[in-house]
Coordinates of all heavy atoms in Angstrom, one line a residue:
M22 N 0.8 -1.2 0.0 CA 0.0 0.0 0.0 C 0.9 1.2 0.0 O 1.9 1.3 0.7 CB -0.9 0.0 1.2 CG -1.7 1.2 1.3 SD -2.8 1.4 2.7 CE -1.7 1.9 4.0
E23 N 0.4 2.2 -0.8 CA 1.2 3.5 -0.7 C 0.3 4.6 -0.1 O -1.0 4.5 -0.1 CB 1.4 4.0 -2.1 CG 2.5 3.2 -2.9 CD 2.9 3.8 -4.2 OE1 2.0 4.1 -4.9 OE2 4.0 4.1 -4.5
M24 N 0.9 5.6 0.5 CA 0.2 6.7 1.1 C 0.8 8.0 0.6 O 1.8 8.0 0.1 CB 0.4 6.6 2.7 CG -0.2 5.4 3.4 SD 0.2 5.4 5.1 CE 1.9 4.9 5.1
R25 N -0.1 9.0 0.7 CA 0.4 10.4 0.3 C 0.1 11.2 1.6 O -0.9 11.1 2.2 CB -0.3 10.9 -0.9 CG 0.2 12.2 -1.4 CD -0.3 12.6 -2.7 NE 0.4 13.7 -3.2 CZ 0.6 14.0 -4.5 NH1 0.0 13.3 -5.4 NH2 1.3 15.0 -4.7
A26 N 1.1 12.1 1.9 CA 0.9 13.0 3.1 C 1.6 14.3 2.8 O 2.5 14.4 2.0 CB 1.4 12.3 4.3
S27 N 1.2 15.3 3.5 CA 1.8 16.6 3.7 C 2.3 16.7 5.1 O 1.6 16.1 5.9 CB 0.9 17.7 3.2 OG 0.6 17.7 1.9
H28 N 3.2 17.4 5.3 CA 3.7 17.7 6.7 C 4.3 19.1 7.0 O 4.6 19.7 6.0 CB 4.6 16.6 7.2 CG 6.0 16.7 6.7 ND1 7.2 16.4 7.5 CD2 6.6 17.2 5.5 CE1 8.3 16.8 6.8 NE2 7.9 17.1 5.7
I29 N 4.3 19.4 8.2 CA 4.9 20.6 8.6 C 6.0 20.1 9.7 O 5.6 19.5 10.7 CB 4.0 21.6 9.3 CG1 2.8 22.0 8.3 CG2 4.8 22.9 9.8 CD1 1.8 22.8 8.8
L30 N 7.3 20.4 9.4 CA 8.4 19.9 10.3 C 9.0 21.1 11.1 O 9.4 22.1 10.4 CB 9.4 19.2 9.5 CG 10.6 18.8 10.2 CD1 10.3 17.8 11.3 CD2 11.7 18.3 9.2
V31 N 9.0 21.1 12.4 CA 9.6 22.1 13.2 C 10.4 21.4 14.3 O 10.3 20.2 14.5 CB 8.6 23.1 13.8 CG1 7.8 23.9 12.7 CG2 7.6 22.3 14.6
K32 N 11.4 22.1 14.8 CA 12.3 21.6 15.9 C 11.6 21.7 17.3 O 12.0 20.8 18.2 CB 13.6 22.4 15.9 CG 14.3 22.3 14.7 CD 15.0 20.9 14.5 CE 15.8 20.8 13.3 NZ 16.1 19.4 12.9
D33 N 10.6 22.5 17.5 CA 10.1 22.7 18.8 C 8.6 22.2 19.0 O 7.8 22.5 18.2 CB 10.0 24.3 19.0 CG 9.5 24.7 20.3 OD1 10.1 24.4 21.4 OD2 8.4 25.3 20.3
R34 N 8.5 21.4 20.0 CA 7.2 20.8 20.3 C 6.1 21.8 20.6 O 5.0 21.6 20.0 CB 7.2 19.8 21.5 CG 5.9 19.1 21.8 CD 5.8 18.4 23.0 NE 6.6 17.1 23.0 CZ 6.2 16.0 22.5 NH1 5.0 15.9 21.9 NH2 7.0 15.0 22.4
A35 N 6.4 22.9 21.2 CA 5.4 23.9 21.6 C 4.9 24.5 20.3 O 3.7 24.7 20.1 CB 5.9 24.9 22.5
L36 N 5.8 24.9 19.3 CA 5.4 25.4 18.1 C 4.5 24.4 17.3 O 3.6 24.8 16.7 CB 6.6 25.8 17.2 CG 6.4 26.3 15.9 CD1 5.4 27.6 15.9 CD2 7.7 26.7 15.2
A37 N 5.0 23.2 17.2 CA 4.2 22.1 16.5 C 2.8 22.0 17.1 O 1.8 21.8 16.4 CB 4.9 20.8 16.7
E38 N 2.6 22.2 18.4 CA 1.3 22.1 19.0 C 0.4 23.3 18.6 O -0.7 23.2 18.4 CB 1.4 22.1 20.6 CG 1.9 20.8 21.2 CD 1.0 19.6 21.1 OE1 -0.3 19.8 20.8 OE2 1.3 18.5 21.4
R39 N 1.1 24.5 18.6 CA 0.3 25.7 18.1 C -0.1 25.6 16.7 O -1.2 25.9 16.3 CB 1.3 27.0 18.3 CG 1.4 27.4 19.7 CD 1.9 28.8 19.9 NE 3.1 29.1 19.2 CZ 4.3 29.0 19.7 NH1 4.6 28.4 20.8 NH2 5.4 29.3 18.9
I40 N 0.8 25.0 15.8 CA 0.4 24.8 14.4 C -0.7 23.9 14.3 O -1.7 24.1 13.6 CB 1.7 24.4 13.6 CG1 2.8 25.5 13.5 CG2 1.3 23.9 12.2 CD1 4.1 25.0 13.1
Y41 N -0.7 22.7 15.1 CA -1.8 21.8 15.1 C -3.1 22.4 15.4 O -4.1 22.2 14.8 CB -1.5 20.6 16.1 CG -2.5 19.7 16.3 CD1 -2.9 18.8 15.3 CD2 -3.3 19.8 17.5 CE1 -4.0 17.9 15.6 CE2 -4.4 18.9 17.7 CZ -4.7 18.0 16.8 OH -5.8 17.2 16.9
E42 N -3.0 23.2 16.5 CA -4.3 23.9 17.0 C -4.8 24.8 15.9 O -6.0 24.9 15.7 CB -4.0 24.6 18.3 CG -3.8 23.8 19.4 CD -5.0 22.8 19.8 OE1 -6.1 23.1 19.5 OE2 -4.7 21.7 20.3
E43 N -3.9 25.6 15.2 CA -4.3 26.5 14.1 C -4.9 25.7 12.9 O -6.0 26.1 12.4 CB -3.1 27.3 13.6 CG -3.5 28.5 12.9 CD -2.5 29.5 12.7 OE1 -1.5 29.5 13.5 OE2 -2.6 30.3 11.7
V44 N -4.4 24.6 12.6 CA -5.0 23.8 11.5 C -6.4 23.2 12.0 O -7.3 23.3 11.2 CB -4.1 22.6 11.2 CG1 -4.7 21.6 10.3 CG2 -2.8 23.0 10.6
K45 N -6.5 22.8 13.2 CA -7.8 22.2 13.7 C -8.9 23.3 13.7 O -10.0 23.0 13.6 CB -7.6 21.7 15.2 CG -6.7 20.4 15.2 CD -7.2 19.3 14.2 CE -8.3 18.5 14.7 NZ -8.6 17.4 13.9
K46 N -8.5 24.6 13.8 CA -9.3 25.7 13.8 C -9.7 26.2 12.4 O -10.4 27.2 12.2 CB -8.9 26.9 14.6 CG -8.8 26.6 16.1 CD -8.2 27.8 16.9 CE -8.0 27.5 18.3 NZ -7.2 28.5 19.0
G47 N -9.2 25.4 11.4 CA -9.5 25.8 10.0 C -8.3 26.5 9.3 O -8.5 26.9 8.1
G48 N -7.2 26.5 9.9 CA -6.0 27.2 9.3 C -5.6 26.4 8.0 O -5.8 25.2 7.8
D49 N -5.2 27.1 7.0 CA -4.7 26.5 5.7 C -3.4 25.8 5.9 O -2.4 26.4 6.1 CB -4.5 27.6 4.7 CG -4.1 27.1 3.3 OD1 -3.1 26.4 3.2 OD2 -4.9 27.5 2.3
F50 N -3.4 24.4 5.8 CA -2.3 23.6 6.0 C -1.2 23.9 5.1 O 0.0 24.1 5.6 CB -2.7 22.1 5.9 CG -1.7 21.2 6.3 CD1 -1.7 20.7 7.6 CD2 -0.6 20.8 5.6 CE1 -0.8 19.8 8.1 CE2 0.4 20.0 6.1 CZ 0.3 19.4 7.4
A51 N -1.4 24.2 3.8 CA -0.3 24.4 2.9 C 0.4 25.8 3.3 O 1.6 25.9 3.1 CB -0.8 24.4 1.5
A52 N -0.4 26.8 3.6 CA 0.1 28.1 3.9 C 0.9 28.0 5.2 O 2.0 28.6 5.3 CB -1.0 29.1 4.1
L53 N 0.5 27.2 6.2 CA 1.2 27.1 7.4 C 2.5 26.3 7.1 O 3.6 26.7 7.8 CB 0.4 26.4 8.4 CG -0.8 27.2 9.0 CD1 -1.7 26.3 9.7 CD2 -0.3 28.3 9.9
A54 N 2.5 25.4 6.3 CA 3.8 24.6 5.9 C 4.8 25.6 5.3 O 5.9 25.6 5.7 CB 3.4 23.5 5.0
R55 N 4.3 26.4 4.3 CA 5.2 27.3 3.7 C 5.8 28.3 4.7 O 6.9 28.8 4.6 CB 4.5 28.0 2.6 CG 4.3 27.2 1.3 CD 3.8 28.0 0.2 NE 2.4 28.3 0.2 CZ 1.3 27.6 -0.1 NH1 1.7 26.3 -0.7 NH2 0.1 27.9 0.0
K56 N 4.9 28.7 5.7 CA 5.5 29.7 6.7 C 6.4 29.1 7.7 O 7.4 29.8 8.1 CB 4.2 30.3 7.4 CG 4.6 31.3 8.4 CD 3.3 32.0 9.0 CE 3.7 33.0 10.0 NZ 2.4 33.7 10.6
Y57 N 6.1 27.9 8.2 CA 6.7 27.4 9.4 C 7.8 26.2 9.1 O 8.7 26.0 9.9 CB 5.9 26.9 10.5 CG 5.0 28.0 11.1 CD1 3.7 28.2 10.9 CD2 5.6 28.9 12.0 CE1 3.0 29.2 11.5 CE2 5.0 29.9 12.7 CZ 3.6 30.1 12.4 OH 2.9 31.1 12.9
S58 N 7.5 25.3 8.2 CA 8.1 24.1 8.0 C 9.7 24.3 7.7 O 10.0 25.3 7.0 CB 7.6 23.2 7.0 OG 8.2 22.0 6.9
T59 N 10.6 23.5 8.2 CA 11.9 23.5 8.0 C 12.3 22.5 6.9 O 13.6 22.4 6.5 CB 12.8 23.3 9.3 OG1 12.5 21.9 9.7 CG2 12.5 24.3 10.3
C60 N 11.4 21.7 6.4 CA 11.6 20.8 5.3 C 11.6 21.4 3.9 O 10.7 22.3 3.8 CB 10.6 19.7 5.4 SG 10.8 18.3 4.2
P61 N 12.4 21.0 3.0 CA 12.3 21.5 1.7 C 10.9 21.3 1.0 O 10.6 22.1 0.1 CB 13.4 20.7 0.9 CG 14.3 20.3 2.0 CD 13.5 20.0 3.2
S62 N 10.1 20.4 1.5 CA 8.8 20.2 0.9 C 7.9 21.5 1.2 O 6.8 21.5 0.6 CB 8.1 19.0 1.5 OG 7.8 19.2 2.9
K63 N 8.3 22.4 2.1 CA 7.5 23.6 2.4 C 7.2 24.4 1.2 O 6.1 25.0 1.1 CB 8.3 24.5 3.4 CG 9.5 25.2 2.9 CD 10.3 25.9 4.0 CE 10.1 27.4 4.0 NZ 10.7 28.1 5.2
S64 N 8.0 24.3 0.1 CA 7.8 25.1 -1.1 C 6.6 24.4 -1.9 O 6.0 25.1 -2.7 CB 9.1 25.0 -2.0 OG 9.3 23.7 -2.5
K65 N 6.2 23.2 -1.6 CA 5.1 22.5 -2.2 C 3.9 22.4 -1.2 O 3.1 21.5 -1.2 CB 5.4 21.2 -2.7 CG 6.5 21.2 -3.8 CD 6.8 19.8 -4.2 CE 7.8 19.2 -3.3 NZ 8.2 17.8 -3.5
G66 N 3.9 23.3 -0.1 CA 2.8 23.3 0.9 C 2.9 22.1 1.8 O 2.0 21.8 2.4
G67 N 4.1 21.5 1.9 CA 4.4 20.4 2.8 C 4.2 19.0 2.0 O 4.4 18.0 2.7
D68 N 3.7 19.0 0.8 CA 3.4 17.8 0.0 C 4.7 16.9 -0.2 O 5.7 17.3 -0.6 CB 2.8 18.0 -1.2 CG 2.4 16.8 -2.0 OD1 2.1 15.7 -1.4 OD2 2.4 16.8 -3.3
L69 N 4.6 15.6 0.4 CA 5.7 14.7 0.2 C 5.5 13.7 -0.9 O 6.4 12.9 -1.2 CB 5.9 14.0 1.6 CG 6.3 14.8 2.8 CD1 6.1 14.0 4.0 CD2 7.7 15.3 2.6
G70 N 4.4 13.7 -1.5 CA 4.0 12.8 -2.7 C 3.7 11.5 -2.1 O 3.4 11.3 -0.9
W71 N 3.7 10.5 -2.9 CA 3.4 9.0 -2.7 C 4.6 8.4 -2.1 O 5.7 8.6 -2.6 CB 2.9 8.4 -3.9 CG 1.5 8.9 -4.3 CD1 1.3 9.7 -5.3 CD2 0.3 8.5 -3.8 NE1 0.0 9.9 -5.5 CE2 -0.6 9.2 -4.6 CE3 -0.1 7.7 -2.8 CZ2 -2.1 9.1 -4.3 CZ3 -1.5 7.5 -2.6 CH2 -2.5 8.2 -3.3
F72 N 4.4 7.5 -1.1 CA 5.5 6.7 -0.5 C 5.0 5.4 -0.1 O 3.8 5.3 0.3 CB 6.2 7.5 0.6 CG 5.3 7.9 1.7 CD1 5.1 7.1 2.8 CD2 4.7 9.2 1.7 CE1 4.3 7.5 3.9 CE2 3.9 9.6 2.7 CZ 3.7 8.8 3.8
G73 N 5.8 4.3 -0.1 CA 5.5 3.0 0.3 C 6.1 2.7 1.6 O 6.8 3.5 2.3
E74 N 5.8 1.5 2.1 CA 6.4 1.1 3.4 C 7.9 1.1 3.4 O 8.5 0.7 2.4 CB 5.9 -0.4 3.7 CG 4.5 -0.4 4.3 CD 4.1 -1.7 4.9 OE1 4.9 -2.2 5.6 OE2 3.0 -2.2 4.6
G75 N 8.5 1.6 4.5 CA 9.9 1.7 4.6 C 10.6 2.9 4.0 O 11.8 3.0 4.2
Q76 N 9.8 3.8 3.4 CA 10.4 4.9 2.8 C 10.5 6.1 3.8 O 11.3 7.0 3.5 CB 9.6 5.3 1.5 CG 9.9 4.3 0.4 CD 9.2 4.9 -0.9 OE1 7.9 4.6 -1.1 NE2 10.0 5.5 -1.8
M77 N 9.7 6.1 4.7 CA 9.8 7.2 5.7 C 10.2 6.6 7.1 O 10.2 5.3 7.3 CB 8.4 7.8 6.0 CG 7.8 8.4 4.7 SD 8.8 9.9 4.3 CE 7.9 10.4 2.8
V78 N 10.7 7.4 8.0 CA 11.1 6.9 9.3 C 9.8 6.3 10.0 O 8.7 6.6 9.7 CB 11.7 8.0 10.2 CG1 13.1 8.4 9.6 CG2 10.8 9.2 10.4
K79 N 10.2 5.3 10.8 CA 9.0 4.4 11.4 C 8.0 5.3 12.0 O 6.7 5.0 11.8 CB 9.7 3.5 12.4 CG 8.7 2.5 13.0 CD 9.4 1.6 14.0 CE 8.3 0.7 14.7 NZ 8.9 -0.1 15.8
E80 N 8.3 6.2 12.9 CA 7.3 7.0 13.6 C 6.4 7.8 12.6 O 5.1 7.8 12.9 CB 7.9 8.0 14.6 CG 8.9 7.4 15.6 CD 10.4 7.3 15.2 OE1 10.6 7.4 14.0 OE2 11.2 7.2 16.0
F81 N 6.9 8.3 11.6 CA 6.1 9.0 10.6 C 5.2 8.1 9.9 O 4.0 8.4 9.7 CB 7.1 9.8 9.6 CG 6.4 10.7 8.7 CD1 6.3 12.0 9.0 CD2 5.8 10.2 7.6 CE1 5.6 12.9 8.1 CE2 5.2 11.1 6.7 CZ 5.1 12.4 7.0
E82 N 5.8 7.0 9.4 CA 4.9 6.1 8.6 C 3.8 5.5 9.6 O 2.7 5.5 9.0 CB 5.8 5.0 8.2 CG 5.1 3.9 7.3 CD 6.0 2.8 6.9 OE1 7.2 3.2 6.4 OE2 5.6 1.6 6.9
E83 N 4.1 5.2 10.7 CA 3.0 4.6 11.6 C 2.0 5.6 11.9 O 0.7 5.2 11.9 CB 3.6 4.1 12.9 CG 4.7 3.0 12.6 CD 4.6 1.8 13.5 OE1 4.1 1.8 14.5 OE2 5.2 0.7 13.1
A84 N 2.3 6.8 12.2 CA 1.4 7.9 12.4 C 0.5 8.1 11.2 O -0.8 8.2 11.3 CB 2.1 9.2 12.8
T85 N 1.1 8.1 10.1 CA 0.4 8.3 8.8 C -0.7 7.2 8.5 O -1.7 7.4 8.1 CB 1.2 8.5 7.6 OG1 2.2 9.6 7.9 CG2 0.5 8.8 6.3
K86 N -0.3 6.0 8.7 CA -1.1 4.8 8.5 C -2.4 4.9 9.4 O -3.4 4.5 9.0 CB -0.4 3.5 9.0 CG 0.4 2.9 7.9 CD 1.1 1.6 8.5 CE 2.1 1.0 7.6 NZ 2.7 -0.2 8.1
K87 N -2.3 5.5 10.6 CA -3.4 5.5 11.5 C -4.4 6.7 11.1 O -5.6 6.6 11.6 CB -3.0 5.8 12.9 CG -2.2 4.7 13.5 CD -1.7 5.0 14.9 CE -0.7 3.9 15.4 NZ -0.1 4.3 16.7
L88 N -4.0 7.6 10.3 CA -4.9 8.7 10.0 C -5.9 8.3 8.8 O -5.5 7.5 7.9 CB -4.0 9.9 9.4 CG -3.1 10.6 10.4 CD1 -2.2 11.6 9.6 CD2 -4.0 11.3 11.5
S89 N -7.0 8.7 9.0 CA -8.0 8.7 7.8 C -7.8 9.8 6.8 O -7.0 10.8 7.1 CB -9.4 8.7 8.4 OG -9.6 10.0 9.1
Y90 N -8.3 9.6 5.6 CA -8.0 10.7 4.6 C -8.4 12.0 5.0 O -9.6 12.2 5.6 CB -8.8 10.2 3.3 CG -8.7 11.3 2.2 CD1 -7.7 11.3 1.3 CD2 -9.8 12.2 2.0 CE1 -7.6 12.3 0.4 CE2 -9.7 13.2 1.0 CZ -8.5 13.2 0.2 OH -8.5 14.1 -0.8
G91 N -7.6 13.0 4.9 CA -7.8 14.3 5.3 C -7.5 14.7 6.6 O -7.7 15.9 7.0
A92 N -7.3 13.7 7.5 CA -7.1 13.9 8.9 C -5.7 14.5 9.2 O -4.8 14.3 8.4 CB -7.3 12.7 9.6
V93 N -5.6 15.2 10.3 CA -4.3 15.8 10.7 C -3.8 15.2 12.1 O -4.7 15.2 12.9 CB -4.5 17.3 10.8 CG1 -3.2 18.0 11.3 CG2 -4.8 17.9 9.4
S94 N -2.6 14.9 12.1 CA -2.1 14.3 13.4 C -1.6 15.3 14.4 O -1.4 16.5 14.0 CB -0.9 13.5 13.1 OG 0.2 14.3 12.8
R95 N -1.7 15.0 15.6 CA -1.0 15.7 16.6 C 0.4 15.7 16.3 O 0.9 14.8 15.6 CB -1.3 15.1 18.1 CG -2.9 15.3 18.5 CD -3.1 15.1 20.0 NE -2.5 16.1 20.7 CZ -3.1 17.3 21.0 NH1 -4.3 17.6 20.5 NH2 -2.5 18.3 21.6
P96 N 1.2 16.5 16.9 CA 2.8 16.4 16.6 C 3.3 15.0 16.9 O 3.1 14.4 17.9 CB 3.3 17.5 17.5 CG 2.2 18.5 17.7 CD 1.0 17.7 17.7
V97 N 4.1 14.6 15.9 CA 4.8 13.3 15.9 C 6.3 13.6 16.0 O 6.9 14.2 15.1 CB 4.4 12.5 14.7 CG1 5.2 11.2 14.7 CG2 3.0 12.2 14.6
R98 N 6.9 13.0 16.9 CA 8.4 13.3 17.1 C 9.1 12.1 16.4 O 9.0 11.0 16.5 CB 8.8 13.2 18.7 CG 10.3 13.6 18.8 CD 10.6 13.6 20.2 NE 12.0 14.2 20.4 CZ 12.6 14.3 21.5 NH1 11.9 14.0 22.6 NH2 13.8 14.7 21.5
T99 N 10.1 12.6 15.6 CA 11.0 11.7 14.9 C 12.5 12.3 15.2 O 12.7 13.4 15.8 CB 10.9 11.6 13.4 OG1 11.2 12.8 12.8 CG2 9.4 11.3 13.1
Q100 N 13.5 11.7 14.6 CA 14.9 12.2 14.7 C 15.0 13.5 14.0 O 16.0 14.2 14.3 CB 15.8 11.1 14.1 CG 15.6 11.1 12.5 CD 16.2 9.7 12.0 OE1 15.8 8.7 12.4 NE2 17.0 9.9 11.0
F101 N 14.1 13.9 13.2 CA 14.3 15.2 12.5 C 13.6 16.3 13.2 O 13.8 17.5 12.9 CB 13.7 15.1 11.1 CG 14.3 14.0 10.2 CD1 13.6 12.8 9.9 CD2 15.6 14.1 9.8 CE1 14.2 11.8 9.4 CE2 16.2 13.1 9.0 CZ 15.5 12.0 8.8
G102 N 12.7 16.0 14.2 CA 11.9 17.1 14.9 C 10.5 16.6 15.1 O 10.2 15.5 15.2
F103 N 9.6 17.7 15.0 CA 8.2 17.4 15.3 C 7.4 17.7 14.0 O 7.5 18.7 13.4 CB 7.7 18.3 16.4 CG 8.4 17.9 17.7 CD1 9.5 18.6 18.1 CD2 7.8 16.9 18.6 CE1 10.1 18.2 19.3 CE2 8.4 16.6 19.8 CZ 9.6 17.2 20.1
H104 N 6.6 16.6 13.6 CA 5.8 16.7 12.4 C 4.3 16.8 12.7 O 3.8 16.2 13.6 CB 6.0 15.5 11.6 CG 7.4 15.0 11.2 ND1 8.0 15.2 10.0 CD2 8.3 14.4 12.1 CE1 9.2 14.7 10.1 NE2 9.4 14.2 11.3
V105 N 3.6 17.8 12.0 CA 2.2 17.7 12.0 C 1.9 17.2 10.6 O 2.4 17.7 9.6 CB 1.7 19.2 12.2 CG1 0.1 19.2 12.0 CG2 2.1 19.8 13.4
I106 N 1.2 16.1 10.5 CA 1.0 15.3 9.3 C -0.4 15.4 8.8 O -1.3 15.2 9.7 CB 1.4 13.8 9.5 CG1 2.8 13.8 10.1 CG2 1.3 13.1 8.3 CD1 3.2 12.3 10.6
K107 N -0.6 15.6 7.5 CA -2.0 15.5 7.0 C -1.9 14.4 5.9 O -1.2 14.5 5.0 CB -2.4 16.9 6.3 CG -3.8 16.9 5.7 CD -4.1 18.1 5.2 CE -5.5 18.2 4.7 NZ -5.9 19.6 4.1
K108 N -2.9 13.4 6.1 CA -2.9 12.3 5.1 C -3.7 12.8 3.9 O -4.9 13.2 4.1 CB -3.5 11.1 5.7 CG -3.4 9.9 4.8 CD -3.9 8.6 5.6 CE -3.6 7.4 4.8 NZ -3.9 6.2 5.7
T109 N -3.2 12.8 2.8 CA -3.9 13.2 1.5 C -4.2 12.1 0.5 O -4.8 12.4 -0.5 CB -3.1 14.3 0.8 OG1 -1.7 13.8 0.5 CG2 -2.9 15.5 1.8
G110 N -3.9 10.9 0.9 CA -4.2 9.8 -0.1 C -3.7 8.4 0.4 O -2.8 8.4 1.3
S111 N -4.3 7.4 -0.1 CA -3.8 6.0 0.0 C -4.2 5.2 -1.1 O -5.3 5.4 -1.7 CB -4.3 5.3 1.3 OG -5.6 5.3 1.4
R112 N -3.5 4.3 -1.6 CA -3.8 3.4 -2.7 C -3.1 2.1 -2.7 O -2.1 1.9 -1.9 CB -3.5 4.1 -4.1 CG -2.0 4.5 -4.2 CD -1.9 5.2 -5.6 NE -0.4 5.4 -5.8 CZ 0.0 6.3 -6.6 NH1 -0.8 6.9 -7.5 NH2 1.4 6.4 -6.8

């Protein structure tokens, strides 16, 4: 199975929580990614494209699997920092 997701990556848990709350209140995920994310994907609104099992770090992949289409995760910690993840597809 492949999944598609967008994310916002930041170093600080408190900032990740604030971003999550803003998204939950209707904030534009892509605009927030362009503003805050430290990942190069920020130029694409956080879009990471399609990926299969084993292509992302374990914590990211597991969190994405649990999300339903269009859902946004609470901050997920990985070796890279804190991710707010939005699942945008699965096939």
Side-chain angles (χ1 to χ4, degrees):
M22 176 178 78
E23 286 188 311
M24 296 177 283
R25 186 170 191 156
S27 294
H28 78 142
I29 301 169
L30 174 64
V31 295
K32 295 290 182 197
D33 181 64
R34 179 185 291 276
L36 177 57
E38 290 286 352
R39 287 198 306 272
I40 293 166
Y41 170 77
E42 292 299 329
E43 196 166 334
V44 170
K45 294 307 277 184
K46 291 177 185 170
D49 182 303
F50 192 95
L53 291 166
R55 283 190 284 276
K56 182 176 180 179
Y57 292 108
S58 187
T59 60
C60 179
S62 68
K63 73 190 254 172
S64 66
K65 297 181 281 178
D68 182 29
L69 295 168
W71 291 98
F72 56 91
E74 281 194 48
Q76 289 186 274
M77 298 293 178
V78 293
K79 183 180 176 186
E80 302 91 343
F81 187 97
E82 184 179 314
E83 303 226 342
T85 305
K86 277 183 187 178
K87 293 176 185 174
L88 293 171
S89 58
Y90 175 80
V93 177
S94 73
R95 293 198 69 84
V97 175
R98 185 177 188 178
T99 71
Q100 67 201 54
F101 302 106
F103 296 89
H104 308 258
V105 177
I106 304 166
K107 180 176 184 180
K108 188 171 188 175
T109 57
S111 61
R112 60 183 182 193

